[in-house]
């Protein structure tokens, strides 16, 4: 592929800052390097480099294009590795930590199918919503909601957009009424969620892009997301859970969204791995497989 060949030459030349050095590294002549850069500039219709006798520098358009070229090459290399890895037999043992509610009710059946496809692979599953130290606990990967905090880990998104939603069972709303503004939650039985010793009893939502926060109260508190969801389904109160945790209940009408004019906080779902495990064939294939499963499921539930 000549265009991809020229893009690779462009990226290497920018990194080395010299056409002659790029020629030596790529085992080409300086004339071949120059011709490739000229072809690429003709293709995109704008100068990409300012050439001088001593060095090269990117034009403003060249800088934008260079960033995209780096991303494209990285994706292509990932694709090549993926194809090569899929041809290999996945084997060994993976220890994966999953969020409790999503892990049990949605990810577990997919993981069973994954193991049926790769019969030499063993899985050890840990179900927890608490933060996990991958290095101390020797876990190969962690699936968690929220943004990456530990810079020593690599975060690969499974679902980027996953807003939290207020919802309750039709039975609860028929008995207690449907709140239509945030402060009305003070008059309702809410079901806060607990992680460790911390009770998440302050719910933040956005109205016209402006953050608003309310402190809620409730008779029931659990550190298990599935328990909180079952309480809501039983008509015990209002929950504030992510779209992933409530997608099927909302689609079926078992739960009804409350105050849909308010936008909930985003809780992206990440696949977290330590640097040393990022290129493991089993890790790469598992992450790809789960991402495809989640995308298809959300599309079928009407949340594309």
């Amino acid at each position: 592929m000549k265009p991809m060949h020229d893009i690779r030459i462009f990226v290497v030349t920018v990194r080395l800052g010299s056409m002659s050095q790029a020629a030596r590294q790529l085992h080409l002549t300086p004339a071949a390097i120059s011709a490739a850069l000229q072809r690429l500039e003709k293709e995109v219709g704008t100068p990409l480099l300012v050439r001088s006798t001593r060095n090269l520098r990117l034009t403003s358009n060249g800088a934008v294009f260079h960033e995209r070229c780096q991303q494209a090459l990285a994706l292509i290399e990932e694709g090549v590795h993926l194809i090569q890895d899929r041809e290999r037999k996945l084997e060994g043992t993976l220890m994966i930590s999953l969020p409790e509610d999503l892990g049990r009710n949605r990810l577990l059946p997919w993981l069973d199918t994954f193991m049926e496809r790769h019969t030499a692979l063993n899985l050890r599953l840990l179900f927890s919503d608490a933060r996990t130290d991958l290095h101390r606990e020797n876990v190969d990967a962690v699936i968690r909601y929220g943004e990456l905090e530990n810079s020593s880990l690599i975060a690969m998104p499974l679902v980027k957009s996953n807003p939290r939603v207020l919802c309750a069972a039709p039975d609860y709303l028929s008995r207690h009424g449907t709140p239509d503004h945030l402060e009305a939650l003070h008059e309702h039985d809410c079901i806060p969620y607990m992680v460790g010793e911390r009770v998440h009893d302050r719910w933040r939502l956005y109205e016209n892009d402006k953050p608003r926060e309310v402190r809620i109260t409730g008779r029931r508190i659990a550190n298990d997301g599935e328990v909180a969801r079952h309480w809501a389904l039983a008509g015990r109160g209002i929950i504030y859970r992510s779209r992933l945790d409530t997608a099927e209940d909302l689609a079926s009408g078992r739960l009804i969204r409350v105050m849909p004019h308010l936008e909930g906080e985003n809780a992206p779902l990440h696949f977290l791995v330590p640097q040393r495990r990022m290129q493991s064939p089993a890790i790469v294939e598992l992450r790809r497989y789960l991402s495809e499963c989640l995308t298809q499921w959300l599309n079928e539930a009407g949340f594309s």
Side-chain angles (χ1 to χ4, degrees):
M1 296 184 295
K2 183 64 74 174
M4 190 54 60
H5 174 71
D6 293 346
I7 286 174
R8 188 179 300 278
I9 288 175
F10 172 60
V11 170
V12 172
T13 301
V14 171
R15 176 166 56 83
L16 297 177
S18 166
M19 285 193 291
S20 59
Q21 290 186 41
R24 283 193 294 271
Q25 178 165 319
L26 296 172
H27 305 291
L28 298 170
T29 65
I33 298 292
S34 179
L37 295 176
Q38 290 176 21
R39 281 195 303 269
L40 196 58
E41 289 178 326
K42 183 178 180 180
E43 182 70 23
V44 299
T46 186
L48 301 174
L49 293 164
V50 177
R51 301 162 177 82
S52 69
T53 55
R54 292 187 175 182
N55 57 24
L56 299 171
R57 65 179 176 84
L58 289 164
T59 64
S60 59
N61 287 336
V64 173
F65 186 65
H66 177 255
E67 181 181 354
R68 299 300 189 277
C69 287
Q70 287 182 306
Q71 295 171 356
L73 288 176
L75 287 173
I76 290 171
E77 289 177 2
E78 180 182 346
V80 171
H81 288 310
L82 179 59
I83 292 172
Q84 293 172 343
D85 291 339
R86 293 185 75 179
E87 296 300 317
R88 303 172 191 161
K89 187 177 184 180
L90 300 187
E91 55 188 6
T93 299
L94 286 180
M95 184 176 291
I96 311 294
S97 178
L98 311 172
E100 292 181 349
D101 191 0
L102 184 71
R104 292 193 191 103
N105 295 304
R106 180 49 49 189
L107 301 182
L108 186 58
W110 294 336
L111 290 172
D112 286 337
T113 301
F114 187 76
M115 291 188 71
E116 290 172 4
R117 295 179 182 178
H118 305 285
T119 57
L121 187 67
N122 301 316
L123 286 182
R124 294 183 181 180
L125 303 181
L126 306 174
F127 293 87
S128 173
D129 290 325
R131 300 194 182 280
T132 300
D133 188 332
L134 276 77
H135 305 290
R136 187 181 64 185
E137 300 186 26
N138 198 31
V139 177
D140 294 299
V142 172
I143 298 174
R144 285 291 186 273
Y145 294 118
E147 302 293 345
L148 176 66
E149 294 182 359
N150 189 337
S151 60
S152 67
L153 303 179
I154 305 298
M156 296 175 283
L158 291 173
V159 179
K160 292 182 179 180
S161 177
N162 180 38
R164 293 187 172 94
V165 292
L166 292 168
C167 48
D171 175 63
Y172 175 87
L173 297 176
S174 67
R175 287 184 289 111
H176 299 279
T178 301
D180 57 4
H181 60 282
L182 207 56
E183 289 72 20
L185 291 178
H186 292 140
E187 308 301 321
H188 284 265
D189 220 349
C190 297
I191 304 174
Y193 182 63
M194 183 169 61
V195 176
E197 300 297 322
R198 181 187 174 194
V199 177
H200 290 264
D201 57 357
R202 292 184 181 273
W203 291 355
R204 173 175 291 188
L205 295 99
Y206 294 84
E207 186 171 17
N208 298 323
D209 294 328
K210 294 182 179 179
R212 299 188 59 194
E213 189 173 87
V214 60
R215 186 166 188 173
I216 53 88
T217 58
R219 297 173 59 206
R220 295 171 174 84
I221 301 174
N223 68 346
D224 187 313
E226 187 174 6
V227 171
R229 175 173 155 269
H230 279 301
W231 276 337
L233 290 170
R236 306 302 184 189
I238 298 173
I239 57 172
Y240 185 42
R241 301 286 291 167
S242 82
R243 181 182 64 178
L244 285 176
D245 290 324
T246 56
E248 291 183 342
D249 296 323
L250 290 170
S252 68
R254 292 189 297 266
L255 291 177
I256 296 176
R257 189 170 175 185
V258 175
M259 290 182 279
H261 64 284
L262 298 179
E263 184 72 19
E265 289 182 299
N266 190 33
L269 187 68
H270 282 111
F271 192 91
L272 304 170
V273 296
Q275 181 77 39
R276 60 183 171 79
R277 297 289 289 155
M278 186 176 64
Q279 295 302 329
S280 160
I283 288 290
V284 171
E285 180 64 13
L286 178 60
R287 185 257 173 184
R288 182 203 63 79
Y289 167 75
L290 290 177
S291 180
E292 288 183 354
C293 290
L294 284 162
T295 299
Q296 180 180 349
W297 172 54
L298 286 174
N299 287 339
E300 291 173 352
F303 290 99
S304 56

